Amino acid sequence: MSLEPEAESPLATAVGAARWIRSAAVDDERGRHWRANPDPRGRAAMPDHPLSLYSGAAGIILFFLELAAATGDDGYLDDAAAGARYLAATWREQADLSLHHGLAGVMFALAEAGWATGEGDFEVEAGAVADHIVRSARPIDGGLGWTGDPAQRGDGGIILGLLHAAGILGAPAYQEIAVEAGARIATLVVPGHRFGEGACADLPLDAVTPGFLSGTAGTAFLLARLYGVTGESDFLGASRRGADFVRAVSAVTERCALVPHHIPQGRDLHYLGFCSGSAGVARMFYELHRVSGDAGDLEWAERLARGIVRSGAPANQSGGSWNSACQCCGTAGLVELFVGLWAATGHSRHLEFARTLGESLVGRATGHDGKGTRWYQAYRRLRPWEVTADTGYMVGAAGVGAALLHLDATARPQEARRLILPPDNPFPAIPLPSATLRRS
């Protein structure tokens, strides 16, 4: 299938992004990885994680797998397989065990590559990574863990990765250790409380972060997932404590809600994106609704979505929605939320806003040098002069392209194809809204 990237459609723009990512490919005897920023004299936002789901090969593999499914072009499967061979050859050099930056994300990408390509060696390596993670667990505070950090950037993400591995690899032992490690996190009074210390050089040491990737909401999401897996009420109770804390610190106006980036110092700074804002926190409330059936949790996910719409994003930029296109803190992460809410509820307003967001991403894409499509952005809000274009999933073109593919799938309900959603995305991975299927 051949599409010109200049065509103003989500799929064509994603194809253009793949062309640019291919220009960053580095092949050697171990396989293929991709430079974080191939621009001449370009400076990558995240240059030091070449294997990672966040900004390295693991995330780019996921994008190529989805693009192959969307276009029918097996050349993209070849790209993904080359990247998976690189992960298989090099993962033992990686010390970080986390989901977004380390081996749990590598494990996820290898398992997905094995599933999509049929190459059993990738699944074998995914299992080897999972075994290594399990062996690396250690006693912490009367329980079990790896980093001591319950957030998704730490033990929370590792547990999510093991739960996925247990299912896709058919290995219940991975779920058992995930549940055991989660039991320690469930004993915390407020899951994810006080993450300022050591989390970010830009935060005060006493900051409390209610957000998703490094804060309470992400930990509450994990605990809700564990309740869904086990049915154990302790996990649901702990998740509710986290959700109650997020509700208590949020700014609520009429039927809208916004979450502070951190408190008490940043109470009036409301991120909208995945990592520390509404798009991520809404995932937690939807997951609680999914496993408990409580309509109040779904209403809070809707409140956060309405807050994003009311903010005027993507046209209106603010302290919490700035010049950023990526999955982590930008417009692509908002696309994932609204496509997901549409798939979960069937409400057309979510799809309409997702299309508005997609039009913004397509419109701001650039391919000025003829090498393909990318997005220039100020990844770090506090350094607006650092404008970069990256290839990775959470920070760059692969993730923006994946969000556009998910949007494209909403327009093709007759074309069943598998969407690859990371373990921290709770929404239905199908083009047609599940609510429509239920009505049928």
Side-chain angles (χ1 to χ4, degrees):
M1 182 175 184
S2 177
L3 288 172
E4 290 298 323
E6 292 76 19
E8 293 185 0
S9 75
L11 179 57
T13 305
V15 169
R19 188 153 60 91
W20 184 65
I21 294 170
R22 279 174 162 174
S23 76
V26 178
D27 291 302
D28 59 29
E29 68 280 358
R30 301 173 298 177
R32 177 177 302 164
H33 64 285
W34 295 266
R35 286 173 288 162
N37 186 328
D39 283 347
R41 298 183 298 279
R43 177 180 177 183
M46 295 288 291
D48 300 323
H49 302 275
L51 274 66
S52 74
L53 179 63
Y54 195 91
S55 58
I60 292 172
I61 289 166
L62 301 183
F63 171 56
F64 278 123
L65 291 175
E66 289 211 75
L67 193 56
T71 63
D73 185 343
D74 286 346
Y76 297 124
L77 278 183
D78 294 338
D79 289 296
R85 283 191 288 274
Y86 179 78
L87 295 185
T90 60
W91 70 262
R92 291 169 180 81
E93 303 168 9
Q94 170 68 265
D96 190 325
L97 300 175
S98 68
L99 177 64
H100 286 97
H101 295 299
L103 288 180
V106 170
M107 172 180 65
F108 176 76
L110 282 168
E112 291 292 337
W115 182 278
T117 66
E119 293 195 27
D121 289 348
F122 296 153
E123 292 188 2
V124 170
E125 286 298 322
V129 178
D131 291 342
H132 172 73
I133 292 173
V134 167
R135 290 193 301 269
S136 300
R138 59 190 176 89
I140 298 177
D141 296 334
L144 200 66
W146 294 268
T147 69
D149 183 346
Q152 290 207 19
R153 69 179 183 202
D155 287 2
I158 295 170
I159 293 169
L160 286 174
L162 286 174
L163 290 175
H164 177 271
I168 197 170
L169 300 178
Y174 301 148
Q175 178 175 309
E176 292 172 7
I177 194 167
V179 171
E180 184 177 354
R184 179 187 70 85
I185 296 174
T187 64
L188 301 176
V189 176
V190 177
H193 207 55
R194 281 198 73 169
F195 279 107
E197 187 170 2
C200 177
D202 298 323
L203 287 183
L205 291 180
D206 61 343
V208 176
T209 54
F212 196 77
L213 189 56
S214 299
T216 305
T219 311
F221 173 97
L222 165 72
L223 293 163
R225 176 67 54 83
L226 287 167
Y227 170 70
V229 168
T230 66
E232 295 180 11
S233 60
D234 286 351
F235 287 126
L236 181 60
S239 181
R240 289 249 172 256
R241 291 197 300 274
D244 290 345
F245 171 74
V246 173
R247 285 190 180 98
V249 301
S250 294
V252 180
T253 306
E254 297 177 356
R255 299 176 66 211
C256 300
L258 293 169
V259 181
H261 180 267
H262 61 282
I263 58 173
Q265 304 89 346
R267 188 174 291 275
D268 295 326
L269 175 60
H270 302 122
Y271 274 31
L272 300 185
F274 157 81
C275 59
S276 302
S278 299
V281 176
R283 292 187 183 193
M284 178 268 289
F285 281 110
Y286 178 75
E287 179 72 359
L288 261 174
H289 167 72
R290 188 184 70 82
V291 300
S292 72
D294 191 324
D297 296 319
L298 180 58
E299 170 55 24
W300 255 84
E302 297 273 15
R303 280 178 182 268
L304 291 159
R306 284 192 291 269
I308 293 171
V309 175
R310 181 74 63 86
S311 75
N316 181 48
Q317 294 192 3
S318 65
S321 176
W322 61 98
N323 177 26
S324 179
C326 66
Q327 287 257 2
C328 184
C329 51
T331 306
L334 303 186
V335 170
E336 297 286 16
L337 170 65
F338 284 90
V339 167
L341 283 174
W342 172 76
T345 67
H347 293 160
S348 61
R349 66 180 182 274
H350 295 315
L351 182 54
E352 290 166 4
F353 190 65
R355 287 171 176 162
T356 297
L357 294 164
E359 289 169 1
S360 174
L361 286 174
V362 170
R364 67 177 291 183
T366 181
H368 61 279
D369 56 4
K371 293 182 178 180
T373 301
R374 77 220 68 166
W375 288 264
Y376 288 93
Q377 62 178 1
Y379 168 69
R380 293 179 173 82
R381 180 183 66 87
L382 295 179
R383 305 178 199 170
W385 58 88
E386 291 184 3
V387 176
T388 65
D390 291 71
T391 57
Y393 194 91
M394 294 304 298
V395 72
V400 178
L404 291 174
L405 291 177
H406 300 161
L407 180 60
D408 171 75
T410 67
R412 306 171 191 271
Q414 73 283 1
E415 299 177 12
R417 71 182 194 243
R418 183 167 178 263
L419 306 184
I420 300 175
L421 304 183
D424 54 19
N425 188 324
F427 297 112
I430 54 176
L432 191 68
S434 57
T436 301
L437 295 179
R438 287 195 295 271
R439 287 196 295 271
S440 299

